[in-house]
Amino acid sequence: MKLTSYTDYSLRVLIFLALQDQSKLIKIHEIANTYSISKNHLAKVVHQLGKAGYLLNTRGRNGGLKLAKAPLEINIGTVVRETEDDFYMVECFDPARNTCVITPACSLKHILADATNAYLDVLDRYTLHDVVQNPAPLLELLEQSRV
């Protein structure tokens, strides 16, 4: 299972913001520059994270971003489900596109469905807080990338 860059960037934004002083607003360009991601692409990610209730997005000259929820309240599995387009590991998971002739008798689809569910079950056990519990090395790496 591979996450889309959209989900990857969403998680990176949340990690970045969780490591910041929550009394400060962070500009999109700070995050984009730190991760070497297109500011325009990141703006779409940030917009959706705001709509989903993860971020407070303040517009204007003195605007910026910060978390709308505590890191302990942001579940990684939920974020992944909300940012991924689909979890169709194979064609037969999508009835509209399935052309595989063995689908009616194939057991592999059930095994792969179990694997996908197990993957998401593991992600459900973690929050953003778990990801940033040891902030020092993360902050050091983020700082080094800004140079």
Side-chain angles (χ1 to χ4, degrees), residues 62-123:
N62 296 318
L65 312 164
K66 68 179 184 176
L67 293 178
K69 300 177 178 183
L72 198 57
E73 297 173 359
I74 299 175
N75 181 273
I76 300 300
T78 303
V79 173
V80 168
R81 281 182 185 85
E82 290 177 349
T83 55
E84 280 298 305
D85 291 340
D86 65 57
F87 291 94
Y88 298 150
M89 287 185 69
V90 288
E91 178 184 314
C92 62
F93 280 21
D94 182 2
R97 289 189 358 222
N98 184 24
T99 60
C100 181
V101 296
I102 64 170
T103 298
C106 183
S107 296
L108 182 60
K109 67 182 174 191
H110 302 294
I111 295 167
L112 293 174
D114 285 348
T116 301
N117 290 332
Y119 173 78
L120 292 169
D121 287 345
V122 169
L123 295 179

Side-chain angles (χ1 to χ4, degrees), residues 4-96:
T4 61
S5 60
Y6 187 87
T7 298
D8 178 22
Y9 295 166
S10 296
L11 293 167
R12 288 197 224 179
V13 166
L14 293 171
I15 291 167
F16 186 95
L17 292 174
L19 293 167
Q20 306 306 309
D21 175 353
Q22 295 305 301
S23 66
K24 281 181 42 181
L25 293 175
I26 305 299
K27 305 281 187 196
I28 289 178
H29 73 82
E30 292 178 60
I31 302 169
N33 291 342
T34 299
Y35 287 127
S36 298
I37 298 171
S38 157
K39 183 181 166 191
N40 291 336
H41 189 69
L42 207 55
K44 296 174 190 170
V45 169
V46 163
H47 177 73
Q48 287 301 322
L49 288 172
K51 283 178 65 173
Y54 295 111
L55 303 182
L56 293 174
N57 303 345
T58 305
R59 293 178 154 257
R61 183 181 187 123
N62 296 318
L65 312 164
K66 68 179 184 176
L67 293 178
K69 300 177 178 183
L72 198 57
E73 297 173 359
I74 299 175
N75 181 273
I76 300 300
T78 303
V79 173
V80 168
R81 281 182 185 85
E82 290 177 349
T83 55
E84 280 298 305
D85 291 340
D86 65 57
F87 291 94
Y88 298 150
M89 287 185 69
V90 288
E91 178 184 314
C92 62
F93 280 21
D94 182 2

